Amino acid sequence: MAAPRATYRIQFREAFPFQACAEQAPYFARLGISHIYASPILTARAGSAHGYDVVRHDTISAALGGEAGFRHMAQTLRAQGIGIILDIVPNHMAVGGGDNPIWLDVLKHGRGSRFARWFDIDFDVPDPLLKGRIHLPFLGDDVEALLAGGELTLAACEDTEGHCFAYAEHVFPIRPEDDAWIRAEGLISSQRREALRALLDRQHYRLDVWRTAGDRINWRRFFDITSLAALRMDVPEAYDAVHIIPLALYAEGLIDGLRIDHIDGLADPAVYCRKLRADLAARQSHRPDAESGTRAWLVVEKILAADEPLPADWDVDGSTGYDFMDQVSAFQHDGAGEGILSAHWSALSGRWRSFHDEENLARRDILDTAFDGQRARLVRALARAGEDDPFASGVTVAALTRACTQALVAMRAYRGYAVRADDDGAPGPSIIAALECATLSPLADRAALDQVRRVLSGVAMHGQASAAAQAYASQALALFNQIAAPLAAKAVEDTAFYRYGRLLSRNDVGFDAARLHMSPEAFHATMMARAASQPLSMLATATHDHKRGEDVRARLAVLSEMPVQWTQSTARWSKLTSALMQDALTPADVYMFQQMVVGAWPHGLAPDDVQGLRHYAERLIAWWIKALREGKLRSSWTQPSEAVERAASDFVLKSLDPRISGAFLRDVHAFVETIAPAGAANSLVQLVLRCLVPGVSDVYQGTEFWDFSLV
């Protein structure tokens, strides 16, 4: 197979297994697709709707059809001239529950497990309760209450060949050396609370309430998701286990390339990508098309900051297209409306005109609540790295903590890419820029910020520091990067994007929300640069991560061309629905709701269609509750506000009921009818550009039709 011409993203799940994809092969061929772009296929947690929660790397998911089903699908597609690009997940795997044998072995044997190094666990935290142990914040209540209530019990565990504590869906294996004592004490039948408590205190882990994760967890997670533990691809055995099936499938000619999930989470993305490229090349001679000279197509999921290039030394073909999605969207917005829209949003909401101000606050909020434990580990590494540096005198741990906070808040890229502090400006331009920006604050701790810079760049070493100090400096650099990336995702994409409502079409994964507009000249120059550096990079306008369907964004972009008419219309609508407002809602909430009503209004929906509007209202309610929780201002996933969410639901149901809000619905419908043709034109232009600019066009499943999805 040649390099991909056009890909079609398939999100496999039990309701859409390999066989369902195989049956669509003739359709994909007629559509002009050269490759299916498959979501992860390895064994994931039961009922997974996405496949990113892998629990076993040595088997293809039986729920999707297993190895036989995958082979049949690949052969059926190949008969239509269609190859496969496979999405893989090297950064993390699912933990908790009782279905990951590798994780369970680590819990059972602790530091002595042969898999312990696979996970990024800090067994040497200062906390005496966690020294040499693994923090497990999976409980819904404290241990004493769960033991007393019989919710946390001791049981015989067939899967782990011994005993375990069982709680809900979770399994916590017991050390092998305790098995004989358990039998002698008859604990399975007696469940004596004092004995169970003593038994728990001897294990390689400490059970804890889930709310403590952000403060105490001593292992790296995927973002702030405790059920997904980060893996270390710098450990050869872990790397081999993750890639054994994908590399075998490539060697056999069943797949033609790989998409790498969350490359920013890895300690050294460059080394990882180059090794993977070499491993793929080594298998080229085994493939049926070995004589073609076509190398594997290799793309990485990478969020790039504005004007940030993908590092050339990774030896990959490009990104998965979030950057193009941002660029084509900005190209379709009119910069002339920016001032009016920004001022309107600030006056209406009482919040900042500037997105960066909103982002800074969100970064502080998320750093304090979700990544405090990781920040403390970073500070310890910085402090130890500077022990031999005479310039570090007087820089306290508290000062280093403040400096790290200020620098991480000021970051505008996902991460830097250097991984060793070696006295050559190693942190890279994004970290250096963040440190310099942080020093401009009147409250900046400049001495501490300078010490952070000295350690991360290797200057503090001067070739005279101990080997341990040098190792801590490199560890600090890796830790800084591995906090920066998830912090950006959770603070920017999953918080600030739901707080800043100037125009929601510019708030999406990989987007620079501070930039409303890209000129035609800038867009053309960007595409020329793409042609020169990454002509095989993926081009996407919809992904499994997007926050609004591509046609919603295209329609909302029209509002930037008519800001006065838009703001006047929303003011009129607010008056028409003022009687439905409850104190729990704010004008900012309603303004974002109005954007979504207009942006996602389905083609053909009449303002008096009671049943159709009720269905639309249910979709909007689901979106709004998610948006409120992601924004974390008056509700959240951890502490949802029933009053706020009920007020939002009631407002939607009544606003979209023609028997209550007929005038509002007729006015909104008339407005949608006015802008819908321009929105449709934007959608078609977006599609044409995706097919014609340099790169590989990707279709997310179903978006070859109109896509007014809300998330």
Side-chain angles (χ1 to χ4, degrees):
M1 299 291 290
R5 178 185 64 254
T7 56
Y8 190 101
R9 170 69 179 201
I10 292 292
Q11 201 73 26
F12 288 115
R13 55 194 184 282
E14 289 185 31
F16 196 90
F18 301 142
Q19 179 58 33
C21 179
E23 292 169 359
Q24 297 297 326
Y27 169 70
F28 297 140
R30 292 197 302 274
L31 198 60
I33 299 302
S34 69
H35 287 76
I36 290 299
Y37 165 27
S39 64
I41 64 169
L42 299 184
T43 300
R45 182 143 284 166
S48 175
H50 46 76
Y52 291 95
D53 45 358
V54 176
V55 293
R56 296 186 69 105
H57 293 106
D58 57 353
T59 57
I60 294 176
S61 171
L64 301 180
E67 182 180 342
F70 183 82
R71 288 179 177 277
H72 169 72
M73 178 187 72
Q75 292 162 359
T76 304
L77 291 168
R78 189 73 71 175
Q80 296 284 343
I82 298 172
I84 297 174
I85 304 301
L86 184 60
D87 194 345
I88 64 170
V89 193
N91 177 69
H92 58 268
M93 65 186 310
V95 297
D99 50 1
N100 185 335
I102 293 173
W103 178 253
L104 295 179
D105 190 86
V106 175
L107 299 188
K108 186 170 185 174
H109 299 285
R111 212 170 202 159
S113 169
R114 66 189 182 96
F115 304 115
R117 290 181 63 245
W118 293 28
F119 300 97
D120 199 356
I121 303 169
D122 183 2
F123 285 102
D124 298 315
V125 289
D127 188 339
L129 293 176
L130 292 177
K131 197 76 172 177
R133 305 168 79 185
I134 307 163
H135 184 231
L136 298 182
F138 290 105
L139 304 182
D141 206 341
D142 64 74
V143 169
E144 292 298 337
L146 295 177
L147 287 173
E151 296 176 74
L152 178 62
T153 60
L154 185 66
C157 247
E158 294 182 6
D159 291 344
T160 59
E161 298 179 353
H163 298 86
C164 62
F165 279 97
Y167 168 71
E169 74 274 18
H170 299 290
V171 170
F172 308 112
I174 299 297
R175 302 181 311 165
E177 52 265 44
D178 291 323
D179 287 338
W181 180 80
I182 290 170
R183 288 190 292 270
E185 294 290 317
L187 280 184
I188 295 293
S189 57
S190 69
Q191 298 286 323
R192 287 183 289 112
R193 198 187 317 168
E194 298 80 7
L196 295 182
R197 196 70 184 84
L199 180 63
L200 264 178
D201 289 341
R202 296 200 295 269
Q203 301 313 305
H204 295 296
Y205 48 80
R206 178 177 175 83
L207 300 183
D208 211 340
V209 180
W210 64 270
R211 287 188 178 87
T212 64
D215 296 330
R216 302 191 70 187
I217 201 163
N218 63 337
W219 44 278
R220 195 164 52 85
R221 302 172 287 176
F222 173 65
F223 296 165
D224 60 349
I225 304 172
T226 307
S227 60
L228 296 175
L231 291 169
R232 292 182 56 191
M233 289 298 95
D234 55 313
V235 175
E237 297 84 359
Y239 173 93
D240 292 342
V242 168
H243 298 89
I244 186 170
I245 287 182
L247 288 174
L249 294 176
Y250 177 72
E252 197 173 340
L254 294 174
I255 65 172
D256 301 307
L258 297 172
R259 179 262 196 196
I260 313 303
D261 184 63
H262 192 53
I263 194 73
D264 283 323
L266 305 186
D268 195 335
V271 166
Y272 168 83
C273 289
R274 290 195 294 265
K275 175 171 173 48
L276 183 55
R277 172 64 77 190
D279 287 342
L280 289 164
R283 288 156 177 79
Q284 180 66 42
S285 62
H286 301 288
R287 289 173 56 83
D289 62 352
E291 310 242 337
S292 71
T294 301
R295 70 176 193 166
W297 192 57
L298 184 59
V299 291
V300 295
E301 183 201 33
K302 178 75 187 86
I303 305 297
L304 294 164
D307 304 318
E308 178 189 12
L310 192 65
D313 65 345
W314 288 9
D315 197 16
V316 298
D317 291 300
S319 73
T320 52
Y322 297 80
D323 47 346
F324 174 75
M325 192 163 78
D326 171 40
Q327 293 153 4
V328 74
S329 170
F331 174 53
Q332 295 195 311
H333 283 71
D334 188 347
E338 182 170 359
I340 295 173
L341 291 170
S342 298
H344 180 71
W345 166 251
S346 182
L348 184 75
S349 65
R351 302 186 71 82
W352 292 275
R353 289 180 57 145
S354 162
F355 175 75
H356 286 318
D357 288 329
E358 195 72 78
E359 176 183 347
N360 289 346
L361 178 60
R363 281 177 173 270
R364 287 186 180 277
D365 288 348
I366 301 302
L367 188 57
D368 288 341
T369 57
F371 297 105
D372 189 56
Q374 283 184 251
R375 176 175 53 186
R377 186 180 178 188
L378 166 62
V379 168
R380 289 196 300 274
L382 287 165
R384 289 167 178 168
E387 288 175 352
D388 298 334
D389 184 6
F391 291 93
S393 176
V395 178
T396 64
V397 168
L400 287 174
T401 301
R402 289 192 296 273
C404 287
T405 299
Q406 291 161 352
L408 288 165
V409 166
M411 280 286 286
R412 287 298 175 262
Y414 251 55
R415 59 170 291 163
Y417 302 106
V419 295
R420 282 171 293 280
D422 55 7
D423 200 11
D424 66 349
S430 60
I431 297 179
I432 292 297
L435 289 166
E436 291 176 349
C437 180
T439 63
L440 299 177
S441 168
L443 298 177
D445 193 327
R446 291 179 173 82
L449 283 164
D450 184 60
Q451 179 60 15
V452 172
R453 179 191 61 79
R454 290 170 60 80
V455 171
L456 296 186
S457 64
V459 174
M461 304 300 104
H462 284 298
Q464 302 170 2
S466 66
Q470 293 177 20
Y472 279 125
S474 292
Q475 182 190 45
L477 183 54
L479 289 171
F480 188 97
N481 284 324
Q482 289 181 309
I483 295 175
L487 176 63
K490 297 306 297 180
V492 180
E493 297 168 15
D494 291 345
T495 304
F497 279 2
Y498 290 94
R499 294 179 177 180
Y500 186 73
R502 177 178 65 181
L503 199 54
L504 295 180
S505 47
R506 292 297 300 143
N507 297 6
D508 220 307
V509 177
F511 283 28
D512 178 10
R515 177 178 65 178
L516 185 71
H517 166 68
M518 175 182 272
S519 70
E521 294 78 16
F523 182 80
H524 181 63
T526 301
M527 296 305 106
M528 291 288 285
R530 182 187 298 275
S533 62
Q534 291 175 350
L536 290 179
S537 189
M538 183 178 279
L539 306 169
T541 51
T543 74
H544 59 283
D545 285 328
H546 70 239
K547 299 186 181 302
R548 267 159 284 279
E550 59 182 30
D551 299 315
V552 177
R553 296 195 307 271
R555 185 186 288 172
L556 288 176
V558 178
L559 304 180
S560 66
E561 302 177 52
M562 47 189 298
V564 174
Q565 185 179 346
W566 163 246
T567 55
Q568 290 174 345
S569 297
T570 56
R572 187 169 64 251
W573 299 339
S574 293
K575 290 180 180 179
L576 290 173
T577 57
S578 60
L580 309 179
M581 278 283 287
Q582 298 181 32
D583 291 341
L585 296 179
T586 69
D589 293 330
V590 173
Y591 184 66
M592 288 192 275
F593 164 73
Q594 291 168 338
Q595 291 183 56
M596 294 304 289
V597 170
V598 167
W601 188 282
H603 287 311
L605 178 62
D608 58 354
D609 181 350
V610 175
Q611 185 176 353
L613 287 165
R614 176 67 188 221
H615 176 68
Y616 188 31
E618 291 170 354
R619 293 177 56 215
L620 286 164
I621 289 170
W623 161 78
W624 205 352
I625 290 175
K626 174 182 170 64
L628 289 165
R629 292 181 182 180
E630 296 285 18
K632 306 172 189 68
L633 292 174
R634 284 164 297 110
S635 190
S636 69
W637 293 106
T638 55
Q639 294 185 345
S641 169
E642 184 179 345
V644 172
E645 293 176 6
R646 184 173 56 247
S649 299
D650 289 347
F651 185 85
V652 175
L653 288 172
K654 292 175 180 176
S655 294
L656 269 68
D657 187 338
R659 295 162 296 190
I660 298 174
S661 305
F664 165 72
L665 290 168
R666 288 189 295 272
D667 200 335
V668 168
H669 180 258
F671 186 88
V672 171
E673 290 289 289
T674 299
I675 69 169
N682 274 346
S683 293
L684 294 172
V685 168
Q686 181 174 251
L687 170 61
V688 169
L689 288 171
R690 196 180 77 215
C691 291
L692 295 184
V693 304
V696 178
S697 177
D698 177 61
V699 182
Y700 182 75
Q701 63 179 33
T703 59
E704 65 270 34
F705 302 100
W706 294 106
D707 175 27
F708 290 99
S709 57
L710 302 178
V711 68

